[in-house]
Amino acid sequence: MAYATHPVHPTLSELMALEGAVRGLSFRTHQPLGSVLAGQHGSRLRGRGLDFSELRRYVPGDDLRQLDPRASLRYGKPYVRSYTEERDRPALVLVDQRMSMYFGSVRAFKCAVAARLAALAAWMTYRAGDRVGGLVFDDEGVEAFKPLRSRDRVQALLAQVVRANAALSADRPDRPAAALLNEALRGALVHAPHDFLVCIISDFAGADDETLRLLRLLAAHNDTVAALVFDPMAQDLPRQGRMVVTQGELQLEVAVGRQRERQPLADFFSGRLRQVADLLRRSRVPLLSFNTAEDELTQLRRELGQRQSGGRP
């Protein structure tokens, strides 16, 4: 990426500059075969809906699937129903900036990756002509932004992401992980009653049965997608050296080269990631995965089944 990136605390100017990076990217209905949003099992986003426009006489070239049998029988000539695409599909971007996101072993912290993904999702929506809103949640509460088709609304949303991100620090106390995640999801149900695109960007720490229930409720009436942010350490713990594990002011040094100490820690990290991924699969919400070691835009293109501009999809 041509812009400067901060490994922990992205600036508002950095997030605003991502508008130019989303050209060719879209949460569109018809995804390439390689996309997580394509295929069966409820993974395809519906896209914008259709509004009935008029009933009119058939003319050569009309889609035969739009024939209205009852009207055709009544008038003795073929009639078709025509539709227009809805003007927009509002989007709600949920951004996790809890203390569980204040971690990273390679390149960037999860909180920084989530902030940049939120900016990309917001700009993709805005550039598509749709309304943009969101909820930013941390260990203190949830800030909501009603969807508007406005660059100022995108800026206000991203400014709150930056404020919540800047408040994260090693001496900040941890809170029960599930409470604010589920509160944010309940807020999404209020602000996105139906026909929204809901994009949830989180590590889903503390996800439980209530999280699963809320995700299913959201997905029942909205196009909902989960962006799971994780650190590569969750998949491959270092095999030598010493590692300091922290939780706020509490620190513990672990000799990861010793099998008896490394294995339980590796099992914990990988097991928690598997549990979260399994819960998201059970919710039938399309899952996009992002690690902290790679560029966010590159990963987003890959997850959406698209390549860099000029490449074949």
Side-chain angles (χ1 to χ4, degrees):
M1 288 182 280
Y3 50 86
T5 61
H6 194 284
V8 184
H9 300 299
T11 63
L12 180 58
S13 59
E14 176 190 334
L15 301 186
M16 293 295 288
L18 284 170
E19 179 181 3
V22 301
R23 174 179 288 185
L25 285 174
S26 174
F27 291 111
R28 56 200 172 113
T29 305
H30 300 294
Q31 296 289 341
L33 291 178
S35 170
V36 72
L37 303 183
Q40 301 175 351
H41 311 298
S43 65
R44 176 174 291 182
L45 298 184
R46 290 184 291 271
R48 297 176 179 176
L50 296 176
D51 288 329
F52 173 72
S53 176
E54 62 176 339
L55 183 67
R56 59 173 175 79
R57 287 277 301 273
Y58 169 85
V59 297
D62 282 341
D63 189 344
L64 294 177
R65 291 173 297 182
Q66 304 300 332
L67 279 173
D68 187 312
R70 294 180 62 182
S72 299
L73 287 172
R74 180 179 178 183
Y75 296 111
K77 295 179 181 179
Y79 273 76
V80 295
R81 298 173 67 88
S82 63
Y83 297 85
T84 56
E85 193 175 51
E86 289 175 345
R87 286 188 298 274
D88 73 348
R89 177 182 59 175
L92 203 66
V93 183
L94 277 67
V95 194
D96 188 349
Q97 292 292 304
R98 296 174 297 165
M99 273 300 296
S100 65
M101 301 289 285
Y102 191 70
F103 177 80
S105 65
V106 185
R107 179 181 169 272
F109 275 31
K110 291 187 289 183
C111 57
V113 172
R116 285 190 277 271
L117 288 174
L120 291 169
W123 285 125
M124 285 167 60
T125 302
Y126 175 77
R127 293 291 292 266
D130 296 333
R131 288 175 285 152
V132 186
L135 290 91
V136 183
F137 61 103
D138 56 17
D139 295 289
E140 302 300 323
V142 181
E143 288 289 334
F145 296 82
K146 181 180 177 180
L148 293 175
R149 191 184 296 107
S150 162
R151 181 175 269 101
D152 288 342
R153 178 44 46 99
V154 175
Q155 182 170 343
L157 172 64
L158 298 183
Q160 179 58 35
V161 172
V162 169
R163 283 192 291 270
N165 174 272
L168 294 171
S169 65
D171 57 0
R172 185 171 176 174
D174 238 341
R175 299 287 177 87
L180 267 299
L181 172 61
N182 290 340
E183 182 178 332
L185 293 176
R186 282 189 284 269
L189 284 169
V190 172
H191 289 87
H194 59 83
D195 299 326
F196 273 62
L197 168 63
V198 180
C199 181
I200 309 163
I201 305 169
S202 174
D203 64 355
F204 291 89
D208 55 16
D209 289 340
E210 175 66 3
T211 310
L212 179 61
R213 186 185 73 85
L214 293 169
L215 285 171
R216 285 175 171 169
L217 285 174
L218 269 175
H221 302 288
N222 300 283
D223 285 331
T224 306
V225 61
L228 172 62
V229 182
F230 69 96
D231 190 87
M233 187 178 291
Q235 294 180 316
D236 187 17
L237 202 66
R239 297 183 177 276
Q240 58 184 2
R242 308 185 73 83
M243 181 177 69
V244 177
V245 181
T246 69
Q247 184 176 18
E249 296 178 341
L250 178 63
Q251 295 188 351
L252 176 65
E253 188 175 86
V254 179
V256 292
R258 292 204 292 261
Q259 181 69 13
R260 66 181 182 182
E261 295 186 16
R262 178 186 180 278
Q263 196 58 50
L265 198 59
D267 291 344
F268 170 77
F269 280 127
S270 61
R272 191 168 73 169
L273 183 62
R274 283 196 301 270
Q275 289 171 2
V276 169
D278 179 65
L279 181 142
L280 291 172
R281 279 192 292 268
R282 288 163 55 202
S283 73
R284 302 187 71 80
V285 170
L287 172 62
L288 286 70
S289 297
F290 298 89
N291 66 68
T292 61
E294 293 184 76
D295 169 77
E296 295 84 9
L297 183 59
T298 300
Q299 293 187 79
L300 182 59
R301 289 187 182 278
R302 184 171 65 234
E303 289 296 290
L304 294 179
Q306 300 174 4
R307 299 184 182 182
Q308 298 291 341
S309 296
R312 294 171 58 189

